Amino acid sequence: MQRLDPFPYRIEVMYSQDDGCYIARVPTLRGCSAHGASPEEAAAQVRIAAVAVIEVMESHGDPVPAADWLSRRYSAP
């Protein structure tokens, strides 16, 4: 399995009976969703979509939402 870099936004994945596949979405990025045959594939695809959405937001001068998942910093004991 490929290891992915930490992603700063929460990803929600659910199975859609109607579509017969997994649907992943990034709630912080309105309308950003993707699908896949497995939860992992759907999550990987939505990460690609999220990067594209952020690039478009930046190119239009729109504010990019703050990270909502990796906002905590952890330190070694």
Side-chain angles (χ1 to χ4, degrees), residues 11-16 18-26 31-49:
I11 295 174
E12 295 178 348
V13 180
M14 66 174 195
Y15 185 76
S16 171
D18 293 339
D19 299 314
C21 64
Y22 288 89
I23 307 293
R25 68 185 199 99
V26 179
C32 184
S33 64
H35 68 278
S38 69
E40 295 83 8
E41 182 183 353
Q45 292 300 315
V46 84
R47 284 174 58 128
I48 293 167

